[in-house]
Amino acid sequence: MSVATVSPILNNIDNLVGYLKRARGLDYSDYSDLELIDHRAKRLKAETDVDETPLRFGYIPKGLVVSSDEIDRIRNQNTRNLLLNHKKLHLVLDLDHTLLNSTCLDDLSPDEEYLKTQTQADHSLQYVSIVETPSMRLMTKLRPYIRTFLHQASQMFEVSVYTMGSRDYALEMAKLLDPANLIFGGRIISRSDSTERDRKSLDVLLARESNVVIIDDKKDVWATDNQENVIYGGAYLASVLQLLRHIHILFFNEVESQDLVDRDVRPVLQILKKQVLNGCKIVFSHVFPLSVEASTHPLWKMAEQLGATCSTEFDADVTHVIAANTRTQKSIRAVREGKLLVTPQWIHITNIMWQRQPENNFPCH
């Protein structure tokens, strides 16, 4: 459901983030002057309109004053409409290092000064733009394949942008990515809209968490409760788009309409991730510190999340040996018995790409 569709239903909303910030112990110093004036001016009206402290979605052009129960109702209604009428989930996209890369013009070195004048003329600098915000001048490079990615992703998902950058920056980047505002529909969430300091949270989104997929280059910037929704955005956008198609197919395939409303996308993400290294049995050789229990190490857990069976003992079923070098006993045996011998980086990159990587790109030396 678009903001235009929601707004008539909620033609009185105004102050959501303020409520959630106060609930987390944040004070009025977190508001800008305009926000504080607006908050004080509307507070009395809000208290007469609803039974509890009002909530705020600052990024929605027409504000609303509603209770938390009403927000839940709107989320459920929006999600139900997307699932049943449009066969869409909700997709939240980070900006920097996910869809684009920006740098301040003042940070360019003397050797890079030519970029300021050649961005439009030089074909090798395709998708590079000079962007001015009220506070800075930027050079922004859109990632390859971005237009196709956004267009095709929007056929399967209702798309929002969520950045820890300023609102001015977020709006300028959205203009570059979606000049006609056909994809984002005003769903541009910035740092000032977030309810936690230096953290992103889905509580400012008009969608249920169970139906949201997040693409971000940093998983730990998200609230703990939302990290199961995150796909690390380090892969090529073409690969990410292919993954989103698989998620969409698996979520909607052979599911009755009445069951879609209660379906959760997070187990779907786990299923797809476990298929990446399904059938692989990995033995680790001198990769973990002696003081660490192997099964508790993040690398071990990462391999298991990718569907691999992990062990510290070598047997006939082992397919891969993960080692730092070729001098360990297990490394020597792997070479002798024709097992795949790779560095720990093989698991890391496979995890980033959500796709098994060619083992010969990660040889032990």
Side-chain angles (χ1 to χ4, degrees):
M1 182 182 295
S2 67
V3 171
T5 306
V6 173
S7 293
I9 302 173
L10 314 172
N11 53 11
N12 271 334
I13 286 192
D14 184 37
N15 209 358
L16 159 59
V17 171
Y19 166 83
L20 295 169
K21 282 182 174 180
R22 288 196 302 279
R24 291 180 168 85
L26 304 183
D27 57 29
Y28 284 124
S29 64
D30 294 289
Y31 291 89
S32 68
D33 291 341
L34 289 177
E35 286 176 316
L36 183 55
I37 292 170
D38 179 68
H39 172 78
R40 288 172 173 168
K42 300 294 180 63
R43 182 176 178 181
L44 183 59
K45 179 181 183 300
E47 291 176 345
T48 61
D49 285 348
V50 295
D51 295 332
E52 53 186 287
T53 310
L55 309 180
R56 173 182 182 181
F57 283 102
Y59 64 94
I60 297 179
K62 293 185 178 180
L64 301 131
V65 175
V66 291
S67 67
S68 57
D69 289 341
E70 182 67 5
I71 285 295
D72 287 339
R73 187 189 69 79
I74 297 163
R75 285 194 180 107
N76 289 334
Q77 180 176 325
N78 188 31
T79 299
R80 185 181 183 87
N81 177 61
L82 286 172
L83 292 175
L84 300 184
N85 298 333
H86 302 284
K87 291 193 70 174
K88 284 187 175 184
L89 293 162
H90 200 101
L91 180 65
V92 176
L93 300 173
D94 175 48
L95 282 179
D96 296 285
H97 311 301
T98 301
L99 303 182
L100 48 81
N101 292 284
S102 294
T103 187
C104 291
L105 288 183
D106 293 340
D107 293 337
L108 294 180
S109 69
D111 291 339
E112 296 170 329
E113 284 292 317
Y114 76 96
L115 295 173
K116 295 180 180 179
T117 58
Q118 296 191 16
T119 54
Q120 303 301 323
D122 188 347
H123 181 71
S124 66
L125 298 177
Q126 189 178 16
Y127 298 131
V128 176
S129 301
I130 303 294
V131 180
E132 296 197 25
T133 74
S135 58
M136 67 184 79
R137 297 181 70 225
L138 301 165
M139 176 171 289
T140 297
K141 173 74 165 68
L142 303 185
R143 288 189 66 187
Y145 200 70
I146 185 64
R147 303 294 185 196
T148 301
F149 173 82
L150 289 175
H151 173 72
Q152 295 191 17
S154 68
Q155 307 304 305
M156 302 177 285
F157 297 83
E158 183 179 73
V159 184
S160 297
V161 164
Y162 198 151
T163 177
M164 293 308 286
S166 69
R167 181 143 192 85
D168 289 335
Y169 174 74
L171 292 175
E172 290 300 326
M173 296 302 103
K175 289 178 186 177
L176 287 180
L177 294 164
D178 181 23
N181 196 29
L182 298 176
I183 295 171
F184 303 141
R187 295 177 294 273
I188 312 298
I189 307 171
S190 63
R191 179 179 60 231
S192 60
D193 303 308
S194 185
T195 59
E196 299 188 41
R197 286 193 183 97
D198 302 320
R199 301 274 277 186
K200 298 179 181 179
S201 174
L202 291 178
D203 56 9
V204 294
L205 199 70
L206 284 176
R208 286 205 309 235
E209 294 178 10
S210 58
N211 297 106
V212 178
V213 177
I214 301 167
I215 307 294
D216 203 316
D217 69 306
K218 294 180 180 178
K219 192 171 185 176
D220 57 4
V221 77
W222 284 89
T224 303
D225 292 344
N226 301 146
Q227 292 187 9
E228 290 185 6
N229 300 72
V230 178
I231 297 173
Y232 183 71
Y236 296 114
L237 289 179
S239 299
V240 176
L241 182 61
Q242 183 178 12
L243 177 59
L244 291 176
R245 289 196 188 103
H246 291 162
I247 292 169
H248 189 271
I249 291 171
L250 192 57
F251 185 91
F252 287 98
N253 193 32
E254 298 181 359
V255 178
E256 297 293 334
S257 296
Q258 62 268 23
D259 297 328
L260 281 174
V261 176
D262 298 319
R263 193 156 165 74
D264 194 325
V265 74
R266 288 167 289 196
V268 173
L269 299 184
Q270 294 172 7
I271 290 171
L272 284 174
K273 197 161 194 176
K274 279 189 173 294
Q275 293 177 357
V276 175
L277 293 182
N278 184 42
C280 296
K281 184 171 183 180
I282 296 173
V283 65
F284 294 89
S285 178
H286 295 277
V287 173
F288 312 131
L290 294 176
S291 59
V292 175
E293 177 67 30
S295 61
T296 65
H297 194 275
L299 193 66
W300 181 294
K301 292 182 176 180
M302 188 182 295
E304 287 186 330
Q305 290 170 356
L306 291 165
T309 301
C310 298
S311 176
T312 56
E313 300 300 324
F314 202 115
D315 61 31
D317 295 327
V318 167
T319 59
H320 294 73
V321 173
I322 309 295
N325 58 67
T326 60
R327 296 190 298 272
T328 69
Q329 289 184 347
K330 292 186 178 71
S331 298
I332 295 170
R333 183 174 174 183
V335 174
R336 185 172 65 243
E337 298 186 15
K339 308 295 184 181
L340 294 165
L341 179 62
V342 293
T343 64
Q345 194 69 4
W346 176 71
I347 294 180
H348 285 293
I349 302 303
T350 293
N351 184 62
I352 289 172
M353 301 295 285
W354 282 57
Q355 187 173 23
R356 180 171 166 177
Q357 297 300 293
E359 285 82 359
N360 57 7
N361 289 345
F362 303 89
C364 281
H365 298 290

